[in-house]
Amino acid sequence: MKIGVVGLPNVGKTTLFNALTHADAAATAYAYTSADPNVGIVPVPDERLARLHEVLQTPRAVAATIEVVDIPGLAGGASQGEGLGNAFLAAIRGVDAVVHVVRAFDDPDVAHVRDRIDPMADAELVETELVLSDYDLLERRAAKTGKAARAGDREAQREMAIVEPLLALLREGTQSRFFERGKEDAALFRELALVTDRPVLYVLNVADEAAGDSDPLAPYAGFVEWARGRGDAVVAVPARLEAELGELDPEDAAEFRAELGAPAGSVDALIRASYDLLGYITFFTGDFKSSESRAWQLVSGSTAREAAARIHSDIAARFVRAEVVPIEALIGAGSFHAAKDRGVLRIEGKDYIVRDGDVMHFRHTA
């Protein structure tokens, strides 16, 4: 799973990236001074894994992870290559979901490309450029496919039946992710790789002082209502503070938080929200004193065989059955053997729909 951190220059994208990854990437106070994306791997927090690891006495615990890409800042005219537009658009086409950082802090030492704090206007500027980019790409595609369709190519005609109304939607300024489609259209949309076809999580990058607020989103209620009304998630993160705290050892960070009245959790909430953005669940593997306890991400609705494929394609190809125990039941029992004795272990076939929190042991032929 790969997410792209996007937004206007100087909204705190790289600072947020550092808070997530502890990578110490360079953050600047001026626009267009960072052209290359930063990339980091972030573990998905899940206290269930730590408990499983402790009870099973495994040598290590391996969390599910998210690849995070800090994409160069975008500006007005990016769809025509202005600023770092070409680099931005090339990078964003490679991600599964978008974390859109919007500036909600005031700092005279950090230049603002719009000279004012206005989350709604900033978000709309970025979205306009993305829509224009998709429109240009799709218009060029339509010019080529349209010729084939007019010549009687039935596959091209079927494609144009999708492309033409999609172009009309983009022309109105609406993102392609809101275009109604059938399952049979999935292959075409994967091929098009439109930048506005990815799910979006908005991150309001708030000032350090907002970290202690009971509801740091409250001052931006209008923006939150607008975003959530479209089905998008919104979280608030004091990115600079979290990046600085991430450089301290846990005890010092906890003491500093207490002094500031800033509870932990905003970064974890962002990671979890990003993980949920694509509809993932978590299943686990591991047994008493086995080599590891491990969390695996899986698209909700996936089968046991698809879960096996996450571990190794050979296991999926030679799948026989899955031994399944809910994680709380396995923690209580202490091992698969004990879970079987207690009657909480189930045997499931290849078409079993995996549930969040399942601990699975796959049986397969040699």
Side-chain angles (χ1 to χ4, degrees):
M1 174 182 175
K2 181 186 292 187
I3 62 171
V5 181
V6 308
L8 293 173
N10 301 341
V11 298
K13 298 187 318 302
T14 301
T15 303
L16 180 67
F17 175 84
N18 289 336
L20 288 167
T21 64
H22 310 298
D24 198 27
T28 69
Y30 302 96
Y32 316 123
T33 52
S34 175
D36 298 320
N38 301 304
V39 181
I41 302 296
V42 179
V44 178
D46 195 323
E47 56 86 21
R48 297 174 298 180
L49 177 64
R51 292 167 56 215
L52 186 68
H53 166 59
E54 180 180 2
V55 168
L56 297 183
Q57 299 178 32
T58 50
R60 63 175 185 158
V62 182
T65 60
I66 297 173
E67 183 176 354
V68 181
V69 184
D70 170 26
I71 297 174
L74 176 136
S79 56
Q80 281 76 49
E82 295 294 326
L84 299 172
N86 292 331
F88 178 101
L89 296 169
I92 198 174
R93 292 190 193 281
V95 304
D96 300 308
V98 171
V99 171
H100 187 162
V101 183
V102 181
R103 182 168 173 171
F105 67 90
D106 194 10
D107 187 338
D109 295 327
V110 180
H112 195 303
V113 295
R114 293 176 61 85
D115 298 322
R116 69 182 188 278
I117 304 302
D118 189 340
M120 182 71 77
D122 290 357
E124 289 178 341
L125 173 58
V126 170
E127 291 194 355
T128 296
E129 291 301 329
L130 297 184
V131 167
L132 288 172
S133 171
D134 278 350
Y135 184 84
D136 179 62
L137 181 150
L138 203 60
E139 194 173 40
R140 285 184 276 114
R141 172 92 176 211
K144 180 179 179 180
T145 306
K147 290 181 181 179
R150 289 189 292 274
D153 186 317
R154 292 190 176 182
E155 189 61 34
Q157 290 171 351
R158 281 192 291 268
E159 180 175 316
M160 288 303 294
I162 298 297
V163 168
E164 288 179 336
L166 182 54
L167 273 171
L169 187 80
L170 292 168
R171 196 178 298 118
E172 295 172 356
T174 303
Q175 297 180 69
S176 62
R177 63 195 175 104
F178 299 117
F179 182 80
E180 293 187 11
R181 67 198 73 174
K183 291 182 179 179
E184 67 278 7
D185 304 323
L188 173 61
F189 278 87
R190 281 195 300 270
E191 182 183 349
L192 292 173
L194 300 174
V195 296
T196 64
D197 212 41
R198 286 127 176 88
V200 176
L201 165 67
Y202 288 99
V203 177
L204 285 175
N205 184 9
V206 297
D208 296 355
E209 306 81 60
D213 293 349
S214 59
D215 183 8
L217 290 174
Y220 309 99
F223 178 86
V224 173
E225 182 180 6
W226 167 78
R228 290 179 177 168
R230 307 193 311 175
D232 300 328
V234 187
V235 297
V237 179
R240 183 174 65 177
L241 176 63
E242 292 295 345
E244 292 174 351
L245 289 172
E247 296 175 357
L248 304 177
D249 65 62
E251 288 186 5
D252 289 343
E255 184 178 341
F256 194 24
R257 284 187 187 280
E259 292 176 3
L260 295 173
S266 63
V267 169
D268 282 358
L270 166 57
I271 296 171
R272 284 298 322 178
S274 300
Y275 186 76
D276 294 341
L277 197 57
L278 290 170
Y280 280 102
I281 62 170
T282 301
F283 76 94
F284 300 86
T285 55
D287 198 1
F288 184 64
K289 292 188 176 180
S290 60
S291 60
E292 65 181 22
S293 299
R294 186 164 188 149
W296 302 85
Q297 59 189 211
L298 186 70
V299 175
S300 179
S302 296
T303 65
R305 173 172 274 178
E306 289 168 330
R310 291 284 293 116
I311 300 171
H312 200 287
S313 58
D314 286 349
I315 298 176
R318 299 168 183 171
F319 183 100
V320 175
R321 66 182 184 274
E323 298 173 349
V324 183
V325 185
I327 190 166
E328 295 298 337
L330 185 60
I331 289 172
S335 70
F336 269 81
H337 180 76
K340 183 177 181 179
D341 288 344
R342 291 188 179 189
V344 293
L345 181 147
R346 306 189 312 274
I347 303 299
E348 301 288 358
K350 63 182 181 180
D351 295 326
Y352 166 71
I353 302 300
V354 180
R355 302 171 187 170
D356 183 67
D358 279 347
V359 188
M360 308 185 73
H361 184 207
F362 298 100
R363 299 290 185 180
H364 56 93
T365 57

